[in-house]
Amino acid sequence: WTFSGPTGTNTIVLLNTRSGEIVLTNDATASSVSTLQLGSATAGMNFVYSAGKRLWMASRIKLGTVATTELFLGFGTSDTSPTGSGTLPSDGLFFHKTNTGTLINFDARKDGVSTSKTLIGTALVNDTYTIFALYVDPTGNIHLFQDGIELSASIIAAGTANIPGAADVMQFMVGIFTASMTCTLDWVLVAQEK
């Protein structure tokens, strides 16, 4: 795992709770961003979208202050500032939230161009856990979930424009943007068929 906070002095803390929690905290700098990624800019990018190979990502997560925190959660090419105010990764399959909203968006992104599902699911609540998940089925369709409920209107069909290709190797990342905000991860699941 690689933690980065290119602006200011951000922190990552492991809480002493049952099964543990990880808290990312931004400092008071207006453009503060914290990113936790599985791997680094040069290694550990292990996930690819490939029809015929199932892919899973799920995480139980909460934001301290929903309406003013930007969020990135999912797979992308390495990026230390993956939120919308930073630079979304050039390629990826990810959830993200603006710093003025309470609903999540999802992008399938290739070469900096996205196919988006906007304002999906149910509103996030301050300091309350929610579970976001994506599942790529054996035919390549991308299914999205919030708290165990499939967001069926948000399925991205195999063959849709802007889905990353086999050459677009990605890593799991979570990132937040905005001064003095927190994001708590209770658990993460990432897996892909070989």
Side-chain angles (χ1 to χ4, degrees):
W1 290 92
T2 302
F3 175 70
S4 58
T7 302
T9 310
N10 303 337
T11 62
I12 183 170
V13 176
L14 304 176
L15 295 182
N16 188 18
T17 58
R18 188 177 70 93
S19 302
E21 295 171 318
I22 296 174
V23 181
L24 307 178
T25 303
N26 285 354
D27 71 5
T29 307
S31 60
S32 184
V33 61
S34 292
T35 303
L36 183 63
Q37 53 191 354
L38 184 56
S40 68
T42 57
M45 298 196 316
N46 302 316
F47 300 95
V48 296
Y49 171 90
S50 178
K53 299 292 182 185
R54 294 179 296 173
L55 175 65
W56 297 266
M57 186 287 304
S59 182
R60 185 169 185 252
I61 190 170
K62 68 180 176 181
L63 299 175
T65 307
V66 171
T68 56
T69 304
E70 286 188 25
L71 171 68
F72 176 96
L73 175 69
F75 297 111
T77 47
S78 183
D79 193 326
T80 59
S81 183
T83 62
S85 288
T87 55
L88 292 172
S90 59
D91 304 289
L93 301 170
F94 51 85
F95 294 95
H96 63 100
K97 189 195 85 56
T98 67
N99 64 358
T100 58
T102 60
L103 293 173
I104 203 79
N105 307 300
F106 183 84
D107 280 21
R109 189 167 173 89
K110 169 100 176 130
D111 297 332
V113 180
S114 292
T115 294
S116 301
K117 299 293 181 173
T118 58
L119 306 176
I120 57 176
T122 58
L124 302 178
V125 177
N126 290 347
D127 209 30
T128 303
Y129 277 111
T130 192
I131 298 171
F132 289 113
L134 72 85
Y135 166 61
V136 177
D137 69 26
T139 59
N141 300 309
I142 303 166
H143 302 262
L144 309 176
F145 301 84
Q146 184 179 5
D147 294 324
I149 298 170
E150 184 169 10
L151 307 173
S152 57
S154 299
I155 293 172
I156 298 177
T160 299
N162 306 316
I163 294 176
D168 302 314
V169 183
M170 304 171 289
Q171 62 193 134
F172 170 80
M173 294 183 284
V174 60
I176 58 171
F177 177 89
T178 305
S180 305
M181 295 298 136
T182 62
C183 172
T184 305
L185 291 168
D186 185 32
W187 54 260
V188 173
L189 167 90
V190 290
Q192 182 166 32
E193 278 187 321
K194 289 189 171 196

